[in-house]
Amino acid sequence: MASLQLQVLRGCDLVAKDKFGKSSDPFVEISSEVANYFPCRWKCKWMKGQDHNKEDLSQATSVSTSVINQTLNPEWNECFETDKLDSPEKFQGVKLLFRVYDKDKFNRKESLGTTELKIDDFYSNDYKEKVLNLNGVESGTLIVRYKVKPQ
């Protein structure tokens, strides 16, 4: 048995989308697919360093970080974990899709870019950090870490 642990650490140099063009209120939506196109089920969420205080996600197929107001360089430090799969090898080919948005009044959201990550190192006991360039916008990166955790 194994589960995927993902840490969404921070964003850098995001595009400004607020009214006066100086900042954004960013958050990240995360969804996943495995090689056979079935989504992973997310089990829980917590702040980095506070794994004693986990929030139940009730097997959601997508998850979101918190909104960080008025910044182009948000620090989320939020952690997510999937339900267990039969073996670590089941995570080979899992693709995580990250959509970064600016949250506006009236619950509208504007895209700050998208990126994806294919899980390729599923035997490591250590976190693997990735810097992901955001697509569809003029600037921005997302920094994440992940590991496949045997149970």
Side-chain angles (χ1 to χ4, degrees):
M1 301 289 278
S3 63
L4 173 66
Q5 287 189 344
L6 172 70
Q7 297 178 350
V8 179
L9 300 176
R10 64 190 167 278
C12 299
D13 300 318
L14 300 181
V15 175
K17 291 280 188 171
D18 283 350
K19 187 175 183 179
F20 298 107
K22 296 188 190 263
S23 68
S24 288
D25 304 317
F27 69 99
V28 183
E29 288 183 354
I30 306 143
S31 57
S32 61
E33 292 181 344
V34 292
N36 59 3
Y37 302 106
F38 291 104
C40 289
R41 300 283 181 189
W42 296 95
K43 180 177 80 173
C44 55
K45 169 183 176 179
W46 66 96
M47 294 299 291
K48 187 176 173 188
Q50 298 180 12
D51 56 347
H52 61 281
N53 192 16
K54 293 183 178 179
E55 175 187 339
D56 183 6
L57 297 176
S58 299
Q59 306 222 341
T61 56
S62 65
V63 291
S64 296
T65 66
S66 302
V67 175
I68 307 293
N69 291 318
Q70 298 181 333
T71 184
L72 301 178
N73 298 292
E75 297 272 343
W76 287 288
N77 290 315
E78 293 185 26
C79 306
F80 302 89
E81 186 172 350
T82 64
D83 266 350
K84 297 177 183 106
L85 292 181
D86 295 350
S87 68
E89 291 83 5
K90 295 267 181 153
F91 285 100
Q92 184 172 12
V94 167
K95 185 177 8 173
L96 299 176
L97 177 60
F98 300 89
R99 293 181 179 93
V100 184
Y101 291 107
D102 171 45
K103 182 170 174 104
D104 286 336
K105 292 181 182 180
F106 312 113
N107 290 326
R108 289 183 344 152
K109 56 186 181 183
E110 293 182 78
S111 178
L112 298 176
T114 62
T115 191
E116 61 183 44
L117 170 65
K118 188 173 180 181
I119 305 300
D120 55 2
D121 183 6
F122 53 91
Y123 282 113
S124 176
N125 288 330
D126 298 321
Y127 279 99
K128 189 171 190 178
E129 188 166 305
K130 295 283 190 172
V131 177
L132 306 169
N133 292 319
L134 296 174
N135 301 310
V137 289
E138 51 198 60
S139 69
T141 56
L142 187 63
I143 294 94
V144 300
R145 292 173 33 166
Y146 73 90
K147 75 174 176 178
V148 175
K149 178 181 157 188
Q151 302 293 320

